Amino acid sequence: MHFDSSILIPVLPEIFVLTLACIVLVVDLFLKDEQRIITYGITQIGLIFAAVVTLAVVQPDAQVVFDGSYVRDAMSDVLKVAIYLVSFVAFLYAKDYLKDRGLFKGEFYTLGLFAVLGMSIMVSANSFLVIYLGLELLALSLYALVAFNRDSKQGAEAAMKYFILGALASGMLLYGISMIYGATGTIRFDELSTALASPDLNNMVLVFGLVFVVVGLAFKFGAVPFHMWVPDVYHGAPTAVTLFLGSAPKIAAFALAVRLLKDGLGELQMPGGWEGWQGMLIILAILSMGVGNLIAIAQANIKRMLAYSTISHVGFILLGILAGTQEGYTAAMFYTLVYAIMSLGGFGMVIAMSRKGFEAESLDDYKGLSHRSPWFAAMMLLLMFSMAGVPPTVGFFAKLFVLDAVVSVDLTWVALVGVFFSIIGAFYYIRIIKLMYFDKPLDESPLTAGMDTRIVLSLNGLSVLALGMFPAGLLSICTAAFAG
């Protein structure tokens, strides 16, 4: 068998991350507890180099390797760099939290890097088999991370729920894939278009396969009515894990949806009106925006509130994808990247407010934050305004681009529903601002976050304002990702 080593060039970022995870695993075995900072340092430096390696292998044209199962294109380049940088910031925020609670162990970074590897594989998958392998690598790492605090009954319960429902979702996705393979005879996305045009196709099997695939996707996204695991897992997991879980995997979930629905099943967007995946996504998006925003209002725990907020944001991401146009995919990618930045900042503030023996999970803990730390109250204000979609923060433009894409495909009523639920959702974000600025603090103690966390958290908060004032740069990157 002839082997050409040049086919390894497009997968160099994944090879690098795999090697990095193995190095961290082995090095950590020889370190004492007080030397764990070395594991952390290797991980963080490695993630920066992974982004550099990804940029180093960029080519103008897409490269398809491994018998058409793997692709490196503009979209994968952008999303991989975003995953590495978001994971870098998530690990940085997590460091002090893990130290204070005796969880600063090498396993956290090893599992985190394998999760990053799974996300990278999903982003570059060009066949059902590869995307499923990447998805399972990510899911197994996240199950273990949710149960990372072995002394927490709440964490163990959350991990069990996540594992059972995640396995159910994987089973549905796999069942849908097997039915589509049975109908078309291929698992490669680029061959599906040809197969779907065949007059001999078994439409009944194909439609059932499509339904199971969309249900599996909705589970992984946490879209309503398959959202039940999101608030429990976000609440039960250590906040450092919730931070990672709520940011980078959303980028991978977006890639999963685009690879499956656009690259693989683009011909089935609306073959028979509501029978296509566009009709299914409309239902999921509206339910997610409605249920997410309405239930978030009733939450007194900020992690559960942000979990329901995530569900509503997933609805907006689905709006961009269901448009099925280049403009829609660009808007959905822009929204996903912006959401990852906002989520990092939101959970970063929860970590900054917490300390050893105290978790700042109740909304009452944010009362009077402006008296305790005016600067970080201002950062939280920017993040909440951005999540609510208030101009001039970048969250406003993210919603605007998505709604514009939906209107451009004559789904104005869907866009109006999105605007209606956004207005409702603004209530619970503004409630936090009211607590910070108009209520007296229950606790006068100062914030105890490290200097690196304070600097990055400040940059994180200011970035939503800077990207809102100058959104063209990020938007042009997203546009270029789908220009081919």
Side-chain angles (χ1 to χ4, degrees):
M1 184 178 75
H2 175 70
F3 175 76
D4 184 359
S5 59
S6 65
I7 66 171
L8 296 178
I9 293 176
V11 295
L12 274 180
E14 286 76 18
I15 294 173
F16 181 84
V17 174
L18 175 61
T19 307
L20 177 64
C22 294
I23 290 173
V24 169
L25 179 65
V26 173
V27 169
D28 189 69
L29 292 174
F30 299 95
L31 296 178
K32 299 176 182 176
D33 286 343
E34 59 271 21
Q35 296 174 322
R36 293 280 181 258
I37 195 70
I38 295 174
T39 307
Y40 167 76
I42 294 173
T43 303
Q44 295 293 68
I45 294 170
L47 284 172
I48 295 297
F49 271 100
V52 172
V53 171
T54 304
L55 294 174
V57 299
V58 167
Q59 297 288 332
D61 300 321
Q63 297 167 283
V64 180
V65 295
F66 299 126
D67 292 327
S69 296
Y70 214 82
V71 61
R72 196 240 93 243
D73 55 12
M75 187 189 88
S76 68
D77 295 335
V78 174
L79 294 183
K80 281 180 196 174
V81 171
I83 287 169
Y84 300 144
L85 296 182
V86 168
S87 300
F88 174 89
V89 177
F91 291 160
L92 187 147
Y93 285 152
K95 175 171 63 69
D96 291 338
Y97 179 95
L98 296 172
K99 276 185 175 178
D100 287 346
R101 289 149 187 84
L103 299 173
F104 193 55
K105 300 173 182 174
E107 292 93 322
F108 179 86
Y109 298 103
T110 305
L111 289 167
L113 286 173
F114 277 115
V116 169
L117 177 62
M119 289 186 258
S120 298
I121 292 172
M122 288 167 64
V123 164
S124 278
N126 198 42
S127 80
F128 283 123
L129 179 62
V130 175
I131 211 163
Y132 188 76
L133 290 175
L135 182 63
E136 286 308 292
L137 180 58
L138 169 64
L140 290 172
S141 304
L142 292 181
Y143 299 150
L145 280 173
V146 170
F148 196 69
N149 185 0
R150 287 178 291 183
D151 297 328
S152 168
K153 292 181 180 177
Q154 201 176 33
E157 181 184 339
M160 185 63 74
K161 287 180 181 174
Y162 191 26
F163 174 73
I164 292 173
L165 292 174
L168 180 65
S170 296
M172 289 193 175
L173 186 63
L174 194 60
Y175 191 50
I177 289 172
S178 65
M179 295 181 87
I180 291 173
Y181 173 70
T184 62
T186 181
I187 57 171
R188 278 178 49 180
F189 296 153
D190 52 353
E191 293 178 349
L192 270 178
S193 299
T194 308
L196 292 173
S198 170
D200 301 327
L201 210 59
N202 189 330
N203 286 327
M204 184 62 74
V205 175
L206 194 62
V207 169
F208 271 104
L210 178 64
V211 169
F212 277 106
V213 165
V214 172
V215 169
L217 268 177
F219 258 115
K220 295 301 180 185
F221 258 113
V224 178
F226 310 106
H227 66 290
M228 59 289 288
W229 61 271
V230 180
D232 289 343
V233 172
Y234 274 43
H235 186 198
T239 306
V241 175
T242 309
L243 163 71
F244 180 64
L245 180 65
S247 51
K250 288 290 179 289
I251 301 173
F254 166 78
L256 173 70
V258 171
R259 292 298 185 200
L260 279 177
L261 299 180
K262 172 180 174 284
D263 295 352
L265 303 169
E267 296 291 325
L268 300 179
Q269 183 186 347
M270 46 182 178
W274 290 91
E275 293 178 3
W277 54 258
Q278 186 187 55
M280 300 178 201
L281 293 196
I282 288 175
I283 297 170
L284 293 174
I286 292 175
L287 287 176
S288 299
M289 290 185 293
V291 173
N293 281 317
L294 289 173
I295 299 184
I297 292 173
Q299 302 304 311
N301 180 291
I302 194 167
K303 287 169 73 175
R304 295 188 76 87
M305 191 206 82
L306 290 175
Y308 282 105
S309 159
T310 295
I311 294 168
S312 70
H313 286 292
V314 162
F316 256 92
I317 293 171
L318 293 178
L319 282 185
I321 295 172
L322 69 86
T325 60
Q326 181 176 330
E327 185 186 5
Y329 297 129
T330 300
M333 178 189 270
F334 186 89
Y335 200 104
T336 306
L337 296 179
V338 167
Y339 173 73
I341 295 170
M342 296 186 302
S343 180
L344 275 179
F347 283 109
M349 277 302 302
V350 177
I351 285 182
M353 293 277 294
S354 303
R355 57 185 180 275
K356 188 175 183 179
F358 172 71
E359 301 286 334
E361 294 185 357
S362 170
L363 291 184
D364 288 342
D365 297 329
Y366 294 80
K367 285 182 175 178
L369 180 60
S370 62
H371 299 290
R372 296 174 60 192
S373 175
W375 176 253
F376 285 104
M379 295 302 102
M380 190 65 167
L381 177 141
L382 288 173
L383 291 162
M384 292 298 106
F385 269 161
S386 187
M387 285 192 180
V390 176
T393 57
V394 70
F396 168 75
F397 291 98
K399 291 184 190 295
L400 182 67
F401 296 150
V402 166
L403 295 174
D404 182 54
V406 175
V407 170
S408 69
V409 294
D410 297 328
L411 289 171
T412 308
W413 69 274
V414 178
L416 289 175
V417 173
V419 172
F420 174 72
F421 283 123
S422 288
I423 294 171
I424 292 176
F427 170 80
Y428 57 86
Y429 295 119
I430 294 174
R431 180 174 59 185
I432 292 183
I433 296 170
K434 177 256 180 190
L435 293 174
M436 291 192 302
Y437 283 93
F438 296 100
D439 287 17
K440 292 183 179 178
L442 299 179
D443 180 6
E444 297 282 357
S445 60
L447 299 185
T448 56
M451 184 58 70
D452 52 351
T453 299
R454 288 167 174 262
I455 292 172
V456 176
L457 193 52
S458 301
L459 294 174
N460 201 161
L462 292 173
S463 67
V464 300
L465 181 61
L467 287 171
M469 296 176 73
F470 307 101
L474 182 58
L475 183 62
S476 62
I477 292 173
C478 296
T479 304
F482 292 101

